[in-house]
Amino acid sequence: KPLTMTSSSPLSLLATLCPAAWAPEEQRAYGDRGTEDYCVCLLQSRAEPGRPPEASFPGGHVDLSDKAMARANLTKGEDDIRLALRITALRNTFESAGMLVAGNPPPSFAREELQKILLREGPMAFHAFLNDWGIRLRPDSLAKLAYFVEAPDVHIYLARVPDANEVGWAASGRPAQDLIWVTPSGALLLHDEGRLRLPSAQRFVLSELCEQLRVLEELPDLLLKRKQRSHGGPLWGPPLQVPAASAALIFAGLPIRKAQYSTAALSRRREQQLSRGLLEARPSTDPVSHSKL
């Protein structure tokens, strides 16, 4: 089904991964007991009394300027909306999390001020910023993970931070949010304990990462295997036999029924992961706090 711009602009998010050793200690999620050797970047709201913070992958809504940039850079056979979604994910990850994960980085002396300008002046400033500093994005390096047919549609991509220096620039650009690095299984445990709220779509993606990617160095092979398979996806595992008409989620190119990422379904999946030792079920001894920030 072709993607079209609607009155409710699609949301494009980027699951950004880095080796756990690169994640600054002061940005590690408090109480993370996950077992993977890598972390994912989340932006979390500030905690309120009696209510845990909500966390999300960096990202935002597709802007008309993203679509205009996509149209100006199309190659033969490309879809402008699909390219715009990738541009949106990269733009918002820089604006809200300070990292440029697929492109040559801006000069160090200007990065923090540029992030503030972009947040203040909006998406149009991002494209002027790229031209002014000779920055070329690499949107095709993002791996598409999921497409949730909701209101608005939610698209989730995957990228690995290119180097430790880029991780060092990670910082929330919004005063009402904190940036944290957390392992996938650690994030799921914090959600189970009521210390972090994760939207169902993002819980689904974190569950996939927890189950299928235990070591970050295996990611290139997994992406290559998916590309070589004739059925295209899901990213890991056998093809799914689900009619597209009954799907509310497209995971790595194939539809999945909404019931598979409902709260009840994700809870059942968590129990299965616990039974296989993918998640560590011991109780936390940490104080009830949501991050070190």
Side-chain angles (χ1 to χ4, degrees):
K1 169 181 169 179
L3 288 171
T4 57
M5 292 292 286
T6 65
S7 57
S8 183
S9 178
L11 189 64
S12 184
L13 308 177
L14 186 58
T16 307
L17 311 183
C18 83
W22 291 1
E25 185 63 28
E26 64 273 16
Q27 292 180 338
R28 288 296 299 269
Y30 194 43
D32 182 357
R33 308 191 311 280
T35 56
E36 296 84 9
D37 72 344
Y38 66 93
C39 293
V40 61
C41 178
L42 296 177
L43 295 172
Q44 67 172 27
S45 60
R46 297 286 167 84
E48 300 176 3
R51 185 176 175 83
E54 183 168 355
S56 172
F57 301 132
H61 292 278
V62 175
D63 187 80
L64 290 176
S65 63
D66 298 324
K67 192 176 181 185
M69 184 179 181
R71 285 177 170 171
N73 288 275
L74 284 178
T75 58
K76 187 175 180 180
E78 277 190 306
D79 183 295
D80 62 336
I81 298 298
R82 288 178 171 80
L83 182 55
L85 287 164
R86 285 174 161 81
I87 292 171
T88 298
L90 290 170
R91 171 177 62 80
N92 276 280
T93 299
F94 181 73
E95 290 177 4
S96 63
M99 293 179 290
L100 193 63
V101 298
N104 55 304
S108 299
F109 67 87
R111 288 185 71 128
E112 291 184 10
E113 282 305 311
L114 286 169
Q115 188 184 16
K116 293 176 184 176
I117 291 170
L118 297 178
L119 286 166
R120 183 175 66 244
E121 299 184 7
M124 284 294 295
F126 180 71
H127 307 299
F129 153 72
L130 296 178
N131 291 331
D132 290 345
W133 294 97
I135 295 170
R136 297 189 62 83
L137 299 180
R138 297 191 299 275
D140 57 341
S141 67
L142 304 186
K144 182 68 174 284
L145 279 186
Y147 168 32
F148 296 81
V149 185
E150 298 179 347
D153 293 347
V154 179
H155 302 257
I156 299 181
Y157 294 86
L158 177 72
R160 175 175 173 168
V161 183
D163 53 53
N165 183 60
E166 196 64 33
V167 174
W169 287 104
S172 173
R174 299 188 171 103
Q177 292 180 321
D178 294 325
L179 183 148
I180 61 171
W181 292 98
V182 60
T183 59
S185 57
L188 294 171
L189 283 168
L190 290 172
H191 177 90
D192 292 342
E193 294 167 356
R195 302 171 67 186
L196 195 68
R197 286 182 295 134
L198 296 167
S200 292
Q202 297 182 53
R203 286 177 66 196
F204 183 96
V205 171
L206 288 168
S207 292
E208 284 293 323
L209 291 173
C210 168
E211 194 162 310
Q212 305 296 340
L213 185 64
R214 307 296 294 165
V215 180
L216 188 56
E217 68 178 14
E218 295 176 357
L219 180 59
D221 290 339
L222 289 168
L223 293 175
L224 180 61
K225 288 175 184 177
R226 176 211 169 192
K227 191 174 182 179
Q228 291 174 339
R229 294 206 311 250
S230 60
H231 56 71
L235 186 56
W236 305 288
L240 297 162
Q241 302 300 322
V242 182
S246 66
L249 160 68
I250 309 297
F251 188 78
L254 287 179
I256 298 176
R257 295 181 190 275
K258 188 171 185 178
Q260 289 185 243
Y261 71 97
S262 67
T263 300
L266 289 168
S267 296
R268 288 194 299 271
R269 184 172 187 176
R270 190 80 68 261
E271 291 173 0
Q272 294 170 356
Q273 290 174 333
L274 285 167
S275 69
R276 297 200 305 271
L278 293 175
L279 295 175
E280 194 172 355
R282 68 175 184 268
S284 172
T285 57
D286 293 319
V288 181
S289 175
H290 301 293
S291 80
K292 291 186 174 180
L293 297 176

